[in-house]
Amino acid sequence: MDESGKSQDPEESVRPQPPEPPEHNNAPKGPTPGKKKSGGGILMGRPFGVPVYVAPSWFLVAALITWVFGGQLERVLPELGAARYLVSLFFAVAFYASVLVHELAHTVAAIRFKLPVRRIQLQFFGGVSEIEKETETPGREFVLAFVGPLLSLVLAGVFYAGMQLVEPGTVPGVLLAGLMISNLIVAVFNLLPGLPLDGGRMLRALVWKITGRPMSGTIAAAWVGRALAVTVLIGLPLLTHTGALGTARPELGGADSLTDALLAAILAAIIWTGAGNSLRMARLRERLPDLTARTLTRRAVPVETDTPLSEALRRANDAGARALVVVDRQGTPTALVREAAIVGVPDHRRPWVPVGTLSQDLKDGMRVSAELAGEDLLEYLRATPATEYLVVEETGEIYGVLSTGDVERAFVSAMARKVTS
């Protein structure tokens, strides 16, 4: 049966066109629950057993930091000459090492709370800790979000202390000052109270604690995040132009003003998109408990391996089923007939093609309990990837066949449903 409750002819039910899975929140810094992904960059190591990747976009940012900081060094330390760019490159690497410490703080806290961390990725404008499950309490959510900015503040303090031990106006002094200021900016920026920033997750935890509903916290923090994005888009260029962030610029226009506007637009887009992604993921998680293997499973008919495909499809059509399970002579399931394989067989050949040639042997993990639901179901399917699964009752009796395409469509449909506060 399909989701509308109407039976379909099995010959017409298999047109595998699964929709794109939902984007996972890829905002700068902060713990981020998400779906399984591949590497996405250069593997740098596995601290605490969590892989750390550097995305290709990082090299663009590193080059930009090297160029900008090199220009600053030319005014502060003109005697360095061309060597200033080596010092600037060291600063860029050291800054992103600080970002990694920020992300590792989230990772350690997640591990402490027994939350799986898929990976850490350093990328354009920061880093992402991909934490796969939500925390169980608002208190843990608050702690998990706060430890990142806290570590950035600690690093800023460490670099400030280091500045007291070296001569000002030297290479070590300039580097320590730059790292102190940059970590202070990272901490303050991430404490802003809007998703996807850490401050937004802290706000989410507070609203969750007050209302008792995590979804209410997500909605509040996401809309504050969107307001923050608009503020950054408009306010950052104005603050720079008026001199609130440094030397005032007498006129709007020119390369500097264009750079400010572009930077503000990029930051605003990242924050706005991250807030929207947080809403979509929260919407999905709220609906996940309603999605069970039992309700998504297609009814199946058992057939022996030498049964002609046309005969197997006739039996399925008569029974109102949409899937075929290959069984041995004792009735024990041994394989599943693949939908994509059925589609590839022309009508005139189906009487001569045995279903066994179109089947996939049942392997470990391809048997799914009919009682699995929500995130448990999703995690099980992730752990053992396949196109179809045999769904069984607790007694071992065949219940039907679960298609990953049906699961994806159900998840996307759940995300599309209206969010209520």
Side-chain angles (χ1 to χ4, degrees):
M1 303 291 286
D2 63 11
E3 292 179 22
S4 65
K6 299 177 181 179
S7 62
Q8 295 183 1
D9 189 305
E11 298 187 40
E12 298 180 354
S13 65
V14 273
R15 298 292 186 270
Q17 299 175 345
E20 289 295 322
E23 290 284 335
H24 132 321
N25 183 359
N26 220 18
K29 308 175 196 61
T32 308
K35 66 187 182 67
K36 183 175 182 176
K37 288 180 138 181
S38 58
I42 302 172
L43 178 63
M44 302 302 294
R46 293 179 178 272
F48 305 102
V50 177
V52 176
Y53 292 94
V54 174
S57 60
W58 177 86
F59 295 96
L60 176 62
V61 179
L64 180 61
I65 292 175
T66 301
W67 177 64
V68 172
F69 194 67
Q72 298 292 329
L73 287 177
E74 186 177 15
R75 292 190 287 270
V76 178
L77 298 170
E79 67 274 12
L80 285 178
R84 67 182 182 273
Y85 290 109
L86 289 177
V87 177
S88 299
L89 179 60
F90 178 83
F91 171 78
V93 173
F95 169 66
Y96 268 85
S98 300
V99 173
L100 177 59
V101 172
H102 177 112
E103 297 304 327
L104 285 174
H106 293 307
T107 296
V108 171
I111 293 173
R112 174 69 178 81
F113 295 145
K114 301 186 185 306
L115 300 174
V117 183
R118 183 164 301 282
R119 67 175 182 175
I120 296 173
Q121 187 183 53
L122 300 180
Q123 57 183 9
F124 198 82
F125 277 116
V128 175
S129 300
E130 295 185 5
I131 300 173
E132 295 188 346
K133 290 186 177 181
E134 294 281 2
T135 53
E136 296 177 353
T137 66
R140 289 187 174 187
E141 172 81 352
F142 189 94
V143 171
L144 187 59
F146 180 62
V147 289
L150 177 62
L151 258 291
S152 293
L153 287 173
V154 170
L155 285 176
V158 169
F159 290 128
Y160 177 79
M163 289 170 56
Q164 313 310 309
L165 304 177
V166 300
E167 287 289 329
T170 62
V171 170
V174 171
L175 283 174
L176 287 169
L179 290 170
M180 184 271 292
I181 293 172
S182 61
N183 275 277
L184 189 60
I185 291 173
V186 167
V188 172
F189 181 72
N190 271 275
L191 285 172
L192 294 176
L195 286 173
L197 303 174
D198 294 326
R201 299 197 174 277
M202 294 162 64
L203 174 61
R204 174 182 183 269
L206 290 174
V207 176
W208 177 3
K209 179 67 174 178
I210 293 170
T211 64
R213 291 194 62 207
M215 190 63 187
S216 297
T218 300
I219 293 172
W223 278 105
V224 173
R226 287 174 169 174
L228 179 62
V230 175
T231 302
V232 168
L233 180 63
I234 299 173
L236 184 59
L238 289 178
L239 288 174
T240 305
H241 177 65
T242 58
L245 297 180
T247 304
R249 294 171 184 163
E251 295 181 2
L252 285 173
D256 288 336
S257 295
L258 181 61
T259 300
D260 292 340
L262 180 61
L263 176 63
I266 293 174
L267 282 173
I270 290 174
I271 296 172
W272 183 280
T273 302
N277 286 342
S278 296
L279 266 179
R280 285 190 289 273
M281 288 305 301
R283 179 186 303 171
L284 172 60
R285 291 181 183 279
E286 188 177 59
R287 304 300 183 188
L288 275 180
D290 297 332
L291 304 177
T292 67
R294 185 178 296 279
T295 59
L296 295 173
T297 295
R298 300 179 177 188
R299 184 177 178 184
V301 294
V303 293
E304 294 186 356
T305 186
D306 55 355
T307 305
L309 177 58
S310 59
E311 171 61 17
L313 292 177
R314 185 194 64 77
R315 295 181 192 175
N317 190 50
D318 289 346
R322 298 176 55 206
L324 302 173
V325 177
V326 178
V327 298
D328 59 21
R329 297 193 180 281
Q330 287 72 43
T332 303
T334 60
L336 301 177
V337 180
R338 296 175 292 115
E339 291 183 331
I342 295 176
V343 174
V345 180
D347 290 346
H348 68 275
R349 292 192 56 222
R350 291 181 176 181
W352 319 108
V353 176
V355 293
T357 62
L358 308 175
S359 64
Q360 177 183 13
D361 291 342
L362 283 172
K363 299 177 182 178
D364 292 341
M366 288 180 63
R367 287 177 169 83
V368 176
S369 169
E371 303 307 320
L372 275 182
E375 289 195 57
D376 291 338
L377 173 61
L378 181 59
E379 288 303 315
Y380 188 92
L381 301 187
R382 280 176 173 170
T384 54
T387 55
E388 289 94 11
Y389 299 83
L390 178 67
V391 180
V392 295
E393 299 281 9
E394 293 182 356
T395 59
E397 180 183 355
I398 297 175
Y399 183 75
V401 172
L402 179 66
S403 166
T404 53
D406 290 343
V407 176
E408 288 177 348
R409 282 185 284 274
F411 284 168
V412 172
S413 176
M415 290 180 67
R417 294 171 62 184
K418 183 178 179 181
V419 180
T420 57
S421 58

